[in-house]
Amino acid sequence: MNTSASYLKLPKDVLKERIEEAFSILDECKLCPRKCGVNRNKNERGYCKAGFLPVVSSYGPHFGEESVLVGKYGSGTIFFTGCNLGCIYCQNYEISQLMEGREVSFEELARMMIYLQHIGCHNINFVTPTHQVPQILKALEIAIELGLKVPLVYNTGGYDCVETLKLLEGIFDIYMPDIKYSDNSFAQKYSNAKDYFDVVKQAVKEMHRQVGDLAIDQNHIAYRGLLVRHLVLPNNIAGSYEVFKFLLEEISPNTFINIMAQYRPCFKAHNFTELSRRIYREEFLEAVRLAVEMGFRRIIS
């Protein structure tokens, strides 16, 4: 069983080519499905509000993630500021919408990774990485020279371009996308993403093509594969059945799914009656029941 990080096997010249290609995308930014077209290499800002340098809110070992990422010493999370989604109920809205954080150099981002590895974190977990892919790759090149060797986790809201994800093949070992909705009209209303389900389906297919089902070592730590998060929303707004149906029929019945119950009305959610309460226990149990009855066995909740 080979559990070493994929990027250690990637030739240096290939990584350099990926970095160059990623930064070229920023000339008329089309990293994500919004394709804003701003020149981020000249520090212009689009929907995500990010410019040329990475913007980080915080970093450190995280013990609240899935147990297969946390293990004994935690998942080494780096929270990026900004987001390409506009979720009105975002629990991290200060970071994603209000842009709390600071610009850091590529060298500083690399040293964050090294620090997290040094204190024992089992992986480097990039939270909201979609709009920071070139910056991550540039910092990774530096971090590898400094001795980085743990797997990388792509912890995303799921609104990702397949073309951008292809730049990450052989670099990221673990993909952890949300699948927030199965109804595009709800995605538009609550996250300002009118094509969300169409996009996330293609993105998750590409992620699974690259890394397959989640693989876990003898210490119960994930080292490669796909882990899908699905947050249950009030009044079945998330459309859980259709989400599970997609995963069953188009990804794998062996998909590792985290069905999450922690929704609470944050940010602007109180302006929407249908989202202004926590979920009922029965709503959560119904989502879990659906997944089990459809044949999924790798469920955490």
Side-chain angles (χ1 to χ4, degrees), residues 6-19 141 144-145 169-171:
S6 290
Y7 56 80
L8 295 177
K9 295 170 272 189
L10 194 73
K12 291 182 179 179
D13 60 332
V14 174
L15 179 56
K16 284 186 180 295
E17 289 172 4
R18 302 277 185 89
I19 293 168
E141 182 181 40
I144 291 171
E145 293 299 316
E169 185 167 8
I171 295 174

mmCIF file of all heavy atoms in Angstrom, residues 6-19 141 144-145 169-171:
data_model
loop_
_atom_site.group_PDB
_atom_site.id
_atom_site.type_symbol
_atom_site.label_atom_id
_atom_site.label_comp_id
_atom_site.label_asym_id
_atom_site.label_seq_id
_atom_site.Cartn_x
_atom_site.Cartn_y
_atom_site.Cartn_z
ATOM 1 N N SER A 6 0.909 12.223 -3.683
ATOM 2 C CA SER A 6 1.076 12.112 -5.134
ATOM 3 C C SER A 6 2.072 13.117 -5.692
ATOM 4 O O SER A 6 2.839 12.808 -6.606
ATOM 5 C CB SER A 6 -0.269 12.294 -5.834
ATOM 6 O OG SER A 6 -1.111 11.197 -5.607
ATOM 7 N N TYR A 7 2.066 14.334 -5.149
ATOM 8 C CA TYR A 7 2.912 15.380 -5.723
ATOM 9 C C TYR A 7 4.404 15.052 -5.623
ATOM 10 O O TYR A 7 5.212 15.602 -6.363
ATOM 11 C CB TYR A 7 2.619 16.741 -5.086
ATOM 12 C CG TYR A 7 2.753 16.789 -3.585
ATOM 13 C CD1 TYR A 7 3.998 16.906 -2.961
ATOM 14 C CD2 TYR A 7 1.626 16.735 -2.769
ATOM 15 C CE1 TYR A 7 4.118 16.948 -1.580
ATOM 16 C CE2 TYR A 7 1.732 16.785 -1.384
ATOM 17 C CZ TYR A 7 2.987 16.883 -0.807
ATOM 18 O OH TYR A 7 3.092 16.923 0.564
ATOM 19 N N LEU A 8 4.762 14.133 -4.711
ATOM 20 C CA LEU A 8 6.168 13.742 -4.589
ATOM 21 C C LEU A 8 6.625 12.923 -5.794
ATOM 22 O O LEU A 8 7.825 12.812 -6.056
ATOM 23 C CB LEU A 8 6.386 12.945 -3.303
ATOM 24 C CG LEU A 8 6.146 13.715 -2.005
ATOM 25 C CD1 LEU A 8 6.323 12.793 -0.803
ATOM 26 C CD2 LEU A 8 7.076 14.922 -1.900
ATOM 27 N N LYS A 9 5.660 12.356 -6.507
ATOM 28 C CA LYS A 9 5.990 11.550 -7.694
ATOM 29 C C LYS A 9 5.871 12.356 -8.985
ATOM 30 O O LYS A 9 6.185 11.852 -10.060
ATOM 31 C CB LYS A 9 5.056 10.328 -7.756
ATOM 32 C CG LYS A 9 5.251 9.352 -6.605
ATOM 33 C CD LYS A 9 4.165 8.297 -6.565
ATOM 34 C CE LYS A 9 2.971 8.772 -5.764
ATOM 35 N NZ LYS A 9 1.974 7.728 -5.502
ATOM 36 N N LEU A 10 5.428 13.598 -8.884
ATOM 37 C CA LEU A 10 5.246 14.438 -10.061
ATOM 38 C C LEU A 10 6.577 15.088 -10.440
ATOM 39 O O LEU A 10 7.220 15.714 -9.602
ATOM 40 C CB LEU A 10 4.206 15.520 -9.770
ATOM 41 C CG LEU A 10 3.634 16.287 -10.958
ATOM 42 C CD1 LEU A 10 2.680 15.396 -11.750
ATOM 43 C CD2 LEU A 10 2.902 17.547 -10.479
ATOM 44 N N PRO A 11 7.027 14.947 -11.686
ATOM 45 C CA PRO A 11 8.285 15.586 -12.090
ATOM 46 C C PRO A 11 8.235 17.093 -11.868
ATOM 47 O O PRO A 11 7.204 17.739 -12.065
ATOM 48 C CB PRO A 11 8.382 15.251 -13.581
ATOM 49 C CG PRO A 11 7.569 14.006 -13.749
ATOM 50 C CD PRO A 11 6.441 14.140 -12.767
ATOM 51 N N LYS A 12 9.353 17.671 -11.455
ATOM 52 C CA LYS A 12 9.406 19.093 -11.143
ATOM 53 C C LYS A 12 9.022 19.953 -12.339
ATOM 54 O O LYS A 12 8.373 20.993 -12.187
ATOM 55 C CB LYS A 12 10.804 19.477 -10.654
ATOM 56 C CG LYS A 12 11.155 18.913 -9.291
ATOM 57 C CD LYS A 12 12.545 19.380 -8.853
ATOM 58 C CE LYS A 12 12.892 18.836 -7.476
ATOM 59 N NZ LYS A 12 14.249 19.263 -7.037
ATOM 60 N N ASP A 13 9.434 19.536 -13.538
ATOM 61 C CA ASP A 13 9.118 20.346 -14.710
ATOM 62 C C ASP A 13 7.630 20.328 -15.010
ATOM 63 O O ASP A 13 7.073 21.312 -15.517
ATOM 64 C CB ASP A 13 9.929 19.879 -15.932
ATOM 65 C CG ASP A 13 9.658 18.427 -16.298
ATOM 66 O OD1 ASP A 13 9.313 17.632 -15.406
ATOM 67 O OD2 ASP A 13 9.790 18.083 -17.491
ATOM 68 N N VAL A 14 6.961 19.230 -14.676
ATOM 69 C CA VAL A 14 5.506 19.170 -14.867
ATOM 70 C C VAL A 14 4.810 20.124 -13.910
ATOM 71 O O VAL A 14 3.883 20.845 -14.292
ATOM 72 C CB VAL A 14 4.980 17.731 -14.674
ATOM 73 C CG1 VAL A 14 3.449 17.700 -14.723
ATOM 74 C CG2 VAL A 14 5.566 16.804 -15.729
ATOM 75 N N LEU A 15 5.255 20.145 -12.655
ATOM 76 C CA LEU A 15 4.666 21.083 -11.696
ATOM 77 C C LEU A 15 4.876 22.520 -12.151
ATOM 78 O O LEU A 15 3.952 23.349 -12.072
ATOM 79 C CB LEU A 15 5.270 20.874 -10.309
ATOM 80 C CG LEU A 15 4.754 21.806 -9.197
ATOM 81 C CD1 LEU A 15 3.235 21.728 -9.056
ATOM 82 C CD2 LEU A 15 5.435 21.481 -7.866
ATOM 83 N N LYS A 16 6.068 22.836 -12.658
ATOM 84 C CA LYS A 16 6.330 24.195 -13.147
ATOM 85 C C LYS A 16 5.392 24.540 -14.293
ATOM 86 O O LYS A 16 4.877 25.670 -14.372
ATOM 87 C CB LYS A 16 7.786 24.320 -13.600
ATOM 88 C CG LYS A 16 8.786 24.420 -12.454
ATOM 89 C CD LYS A 16 10.172 24.692 -12.966
ATOM 90 C CE LYS A 16 11.164 24.802 -11.815
ATOM 91 N NZ LYS A 16 10.883 25.978 -10.957
ATOM 92 N N GLU A 17 5.141 23.604 -15.186
ATOM 93 C CA GLU A 17 4.222 23.847 -16.306
ATOM 94 C C GLU A 17 2.805 24.095 -15.797
ATOM 95 O O GLU A 17 2.097 24.975 -16.310
ATOM 96 C CB GLU A 17 4.237 22.646 -17.251
ATOM 97 C CG GLU A 17 5.510 22.488 -18.057
ATOM 98 C CD GLU A 17 5.553 21.185 -18.834
ATOM 99 O OE1 GLU A 17 4.533 20.442 -18.787
ATOM 100 O OE2 GLU A 17 6.577 20.898 -19.469
ATOM 101 N N ARG A 18 2.388 23.335 -14.793
ATOM 102 C CA ARG A 18 1.049 23.533 -14.229
ATOM 103 C C ARG A 18 0.941 24.923 -13.592
ATOM 104 O O ARG A 18 -0.093 25.591 -13.707
ATOM 105 C CB ARG A 18 0.765 22.461 -13.177
ATOM 106 C CG ARG A 18 0.844 21.020 -13.674
ATOM 107 C CD ARG A 18 -0.425 20.551 -14.343
ATOM 108 N NE ARG A 18 -0.312 19.139 -14.669
ATOM 109 C CZ ARG A 18 -0.655 18.137 -13.863
ATOM 110 N NH1 ARG A 18 -1.183 18.399 -12.671
ATOM 111 N NH2 ARG A 18 -0.507 16.887 -14.239
ATOM 112 N N ILE A 19 1.991 25.336 -12.893
ATOM 113 C CA ILE A 19 1.985 26.657 -12.255
ATOM 114 C C ILE A 19 1.860 27.748 -13.309
ATOM 115 O O ILE A 19 1.045 28.679 -13.183
ATOM 116 C CB ILE A 19 3.262 26.864 -11.421
ATOM 117 C CG1 ILE A 19 3.272 25.909 -10.223
ATOM 118 C CG2 ILE A 19 3.374 28.312 -10.938
ATOM 119 C CD1 ILE A 19 4.602 25.836 -9.498
ATOM 120 N N GLU A 141 5.262 24.319 -4.623
ATOM 121 C CA GLU A 141 6.602 24.134 -5.191
ATOM 122 C C GLU A 141 7.667 24.486 -4.155
ATOM 123 O O GLU A 141 8.673 23.774 -4.009
ATOM 124 C CB GLU A 141 6.757 24.996 -6.441
ATOM 125 C CG GLU A 141 8.101 24.850 -7.132
ATOM 126 C CD GLU A 141 8.221 25.754 -8.352
ATOM 127 O OE1 GLU A 141 7.762 26.904 -8.284
ATOM 128 O OE2 GLU A 141 8.765 25.292 -9.368
ATOM 129 N N ILE A 144 7.591 21.847 -1.148
ATOM 130 C CA ILE A 144 8.230 20.568 -1.470
ATOM 131 C C ILE A 144 9.738 20.660 -1.238
ATOM 132 O O ILE A 144 10.356 19.753 -0.669
ATOM 133 C CB ILE A 144 7.919 20.158 -2.917
ATOM 134 C CG1 ILE A 144 6.434 19.798 -3.061
ATOM 135 C CG2 ILE A 144 8.792 18.968 -3.349
ATOM 136 C CD1 ILE A 144 5.988 19.590 -4.500
ATOM 137 N N GLU A 145 10.324 21.775 -1.653
ATOM 138 C CA GLU A 145 11.763 21.969 -1.438
ATOM 139 C C GLU A 145 12.096 22.047 0.054
ATOM 140 O O GLU A 145 13.218 21.710 0.470
ATOM 141 C CB GLU A 145 12.237 23.246 -2.150
ATOM 142 C CG GLU A 145 12.163 23.172 -3.662
ATOM 143 C CD GLU A 145 13.025 22.060 -4.234
ATOM 144 O OE1 GLU A 145 14.176 21.910 -3.769
ATOM 145 O OE2 GLU A 145 12.545 21.319 -5.121
ATOM 146 N N GLU A 169 -4.399 17.249 -11.145
ATOM 147 C CA GLU A 169 -4.237 15.797 -11.210
ATOM 148 C C GLU A 169 -2.801 15.414 -10.870
ATOM 149 O O GLU A 169 -1.846 15.991 -11.370
ATOM 150 C CB GLU A 169 -4.604 15.271 -12.595
ATOM 151 C CG GLU A 169 -4.565 13.765 -12.679
ATOM 152 C CD GLU A 169 -5.216 13.203 -13.934
ATOM 153 O OE1 GLU A 169 -5.569 13.997 -14.827
ATOM 154 O OE2 GLU A 169 -5.366 11.971 -14.007
ATOM 155 N N GLY A 170 -2.662 14.443 -9.986
ATOM 156 C CA GLY A 170 -1.334 14.031 -9.560
ATOM 157 C C GLY A 170 -0.745 14.928 -8.498
ATOM 158 O O GLY A 170 0.420 14.761 -8.119
ATOM 159 N N ILE A 171 -1.519 15.889 -8.013
ATOM 160 C CA ILE A 171 -1.054 16.816 -6.971
ATOM 161 C C ILE A 171 -1.899 16.656 -5.713
ATOM 162 O O ILE A 171 -1.378 16.435 -4.624
ATOM 163 C CB ILE A 171 -1.091 18.268 -7.487
ATOM 164 C CG1 ILE A 171 -0.092 18.435 -8.639
ATOM 165 C CG2 ILE A 171 -0.793 19.244 -6.352
ATOM 166 C CD1 ILE A 171 -0.139 19.772 -9.327
#
